[in-house]
């Protein structure tokens, strides 16, 4: 077989990239994908925003044990612990990578002291993965390509530079419904060898016995997913999606405006609620009315109600009439997801 010259190609729409992937697929036996901002996109513009509810959760758990600590302090401790691990890793490896189970255990030990248990780490980890997965959406055109390549018998891998180890990434992929298509998942958190330095690609090549000439890599970073694979003899396709960049810039603007002008909280919420990728299908009029108006209205009220009950120490809420039944259902479904510490009133 004649193999194409090793090179990196950049595409500015996902449809262009997928078309290129299809046309080149016959020349390759192995295809690897970056995960975040490639296979999966986040509803939020800043992935670090996922950390805030986790910090609030840890703060609430600490308060149950009579340890008063604000979520802002929790976040600061986490950031400092992660930074320290990255600096320590950088003394041995080119990539200053971090590993979530390690720095989160250190964070929790620092906060809870002798009350720390492995069960506590599991609770926090599960909550963070829940929050992360709730923000992730598979990119529909790329998933069609993945399914086609899988049916053709290609070897498919996910390679990610992230502090979550592969076992956690597999949970996210499984919840997104796409894990079965991949032979394995590789994370820099497990080896501290990342795509950013190029060290990840020889590692994967050796472990899975891949011929570089038959390997195609797809991602969104021009260095980690473009230059570094080429340096290892791997052809790469890089996605610089202008539409996705605009979407994230818009929600970032609304988010920043909302800090000083409450009106933009609603606009930010509307932007975050937009159906993305395969979610964006034709709906009935009543569904759209509920999605655009009644859902946000009831959801915001129930959120406020739960906050007030927690603040005032109320232990039971009664919902009256037919309308009250709707509010009760929303409360019973949503509030356990928002307040995972379980400090909620009973409903009737």
């Amino acid at each position: 077989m004649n193999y194409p010259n090793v090179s990196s190609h950049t595409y500015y729409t996902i449809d262009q990239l997928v078309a290129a992937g299809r046309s080149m697929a016959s020349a390759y036996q192995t295809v690897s994908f970056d995960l975040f901002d490639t296979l999966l996109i986040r509803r939020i513009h800043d992935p670090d925003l996922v950390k805030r509810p986790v910090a609030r959760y840890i703060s609430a758990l600490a308060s149950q044990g009579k340890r008063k600590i604000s979520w802002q302090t929790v976040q600061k401790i986490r950031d400092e612990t992660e930074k320290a691990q990255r600096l320590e890793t950088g003394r041995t490896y080119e990539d200053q990578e971090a590993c979530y189970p390690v720095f989160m255990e250190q964070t929790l030990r620092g906060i809870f002291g002798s009350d720390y248990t492995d069960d506590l780490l599991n609770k926090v980890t599960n909550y963070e993965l829940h929050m992360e997965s709730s923000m992730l959406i598979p990119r529909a055109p790329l998933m069609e390509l993945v399914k086609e390549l899988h049916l053709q018998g290609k070897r498919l891998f996910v390679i990610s530079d992230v502090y979550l180890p592969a076992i956690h990434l597999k949970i996210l992929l499984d919840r997104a419904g796409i894990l079965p298509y991949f032979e394995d998942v590789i994370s820099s958190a497990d080896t501290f060898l990342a795509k950013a330095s190029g060290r990840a690609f020889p590692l994967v090549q050796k472990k899975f016995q891949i011929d570089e000439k038959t390997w195609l890599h797809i991602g969104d970073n021009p260095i980690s997913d473009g230059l570094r694979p080429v340096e290892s003899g791997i052809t790469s396709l890089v996605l610089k999606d202008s539409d996705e960049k605009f979407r994230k810039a818009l929600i970032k603007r609304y988010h920043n405006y909302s800090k000083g002008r409450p009106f933009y909280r609603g606009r930010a919420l509307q932007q975050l609620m937009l159906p993305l990728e395969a979610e964006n299908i034709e709906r009935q009029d009543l569904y759209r009315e509920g999605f655009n108006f009644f859902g946000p209205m009831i959801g915001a009220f129930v959120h406020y109600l739960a906050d007030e009950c927690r603040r005032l120490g109320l232990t039971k809420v009664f919902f009256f009439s037919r309308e009250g039944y709707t509010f009760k259902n929303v409360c019973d479904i949503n509030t356990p997801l928002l307040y995972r510490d379980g400090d909620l009133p009973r409903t009737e």
Side-chain angles (χ1 to χ4, degrees), residues 51-270:
K51 299 176 182 179
R52 293 188 182 182
V54 179
R56 292 188 178 96
Y57 178 54
I58 294 172
S59 174
L61 291 177
S63 67
Q64 292 177 358
K66 309 305 180 185
R67 296 176 182 270
K68 296 296 182 182
I69 183 170
S70 69
W71 73 264
Q72 293 92 339
T73 302
V74 171
Q75 186 62 56
K76 182 179 179 181
I77 294 172
R78 171 181 174 158
D79 290 342
E80 291 174 348
T81 305
E82 180 181 344
K83 180 180 179 181
Q85 189 191 22
R86 290 184 183 277
L87 291 174
E88 180 64 27
T89 303
R91 295 189 178 98
T92 306
Y93 301 90
E94 288 185 49
D95 300 287
Q96 293 187 353
E97 291 296 290
C99 182
Y100 180 88
V102 176
F103 72 72
M104 183 51 74
E105 178 180 338
Q106 294 173 353
T107 298
L108 295 175
R109 285 186 181 276
I111 294 171
F112 289 86
S114 60
D115 291 333
Y116 170 83
T117 64
D118 289 341
D119 182 59
L120 176 64
L121 176 60
N122 290 334
K123 285 182 179 179
V124 172
T125 300
N126 290 336
Y127 183 68
E128 178 138 353
L129 292 177
H130 164 76
M131 295 305 302
E132 186 73 67
S133 64
S134 69
M135 291 291 106
L136 295 173
I137 304 294
R139 300 225 64 179
L142 266 178
M143 286 316 305
E144 290 301 315
L145 177 62
V146 166
K147 293 174 183 177
E148 292 172 16
L149 296 174
H150 181 71
L151 287 174
Q152 294 169 20
K154 308 293 185 183
R155 300 182 70 187
L156 305 181
F157 297 89
V158 172
I159 309 177
S160 182
D161 286 355
V162 68
Y163 55 70
L164 295 173
I167 190 172
H168 292 166
L169 297 184
K170 288 179 180 179
I171 292 173
L172 298 179
L173 286 164
D174 186 48
R175 291 177 180 175
I178 61 178
L179 180 61
Y181 299 107
F182 296 97
E183 183 175 330
D184 211 343
V185 178
I186 300 93
S187 170
S188 60
D190 293 311
T191 62
F192 301 138
L193 301 177
K195 293 181 298 177
S197 66
R199 298 296 185 183
F201 294 104
L203 172 75
V204 174
Q205 186 276 329
K206 183 178 180 180
K207 179 178 180 179
F208 297 99
Q209 295 296 296
I210 302 172
D211 183 353
E212 296 94 331
K213 296 190 297 295
T214 68
W215 184 354
L216 176 67
H217 179 73
I218 298 175
D220 72 296
N221 188 295
I223 303 299
S224 301
D225 300 307
L227 176 63
R228 298 308 185 208
V230 170
E231 290 176 343
S232 292
I234 303 162
T235 297
S236 65
L237 306 181
V238 177
L239 175 63
K240 297 182 70 175
D241 192 335
S242 56
D243 289 341
E244 179 63 9
K245 183 178 180 180
F246 175 77
R247 183 189 70 83
K248 290 195 289 188
L250 194 60
I251 182 58
K252 179 181 179 180
R253 179 175 299 178
Y254 290 150
H255 175 263
N256 289 337
Y257 285 172
S258 70
K259 296 174 184 178
R261 302 178 66 180
F263 166 79
Y264 282 99
R265 295 176 189 171
R267 289 297 293 117
L269 176 63
Q270 285 181 315

Side-chain angles (χ1 to χ4, degrees), residues 3-37:
Y3 299 104
N5 294 328
V6 175
S7 58
S8 179
H9 310 269
T10 300
Y11 301 91
Y12 293 89
T13 72
I14 192 167
D15 290 336
Q16 290 176 345
L17 181 138
V18 169
R22 285 196 177 103
S23 67
M24 299 169 65
S26 61
Y28 299 94
Q29 294 302 313
T30 300
V31 184
S32 58
F33 294 84
D34 172 53
L35 183 55
F36 299 107
D37 297 319

Side-chain angles (χ1 to χ4, degrees), residues 277-329:
E277 302 294 327
E279 298 174 333
N280 195 8
I281 59 176
E282 188 66 29
R283 300 285 190 176
Q284 295 181 354
D285 290 343
L286 286 177
Y287 180 96
R288 292 199 296 269
E289 192 71 21
F291 188 91
N292 293 320
F293 178 71
F294 289 105
M297 179 188 70
I298 296 174
F301 175 78
V302 165
H303 194 175
Y304 169 78
L305 179 66
D307 275 342
E308 286 297 288
C309 287
R310 287 162 63 93
R311 184 179 68 84
L312 298 172
L314 302 180
T315 59
K316 193 166 187 178
V317 177
F318 294 90
F319 293 90
F320 295 100
S321 76
R322 289 169 297 178
E323 292 78 8
Y325 182 68
T326 300
F327 281 80
K328 180 183 183 301
N329 285 338

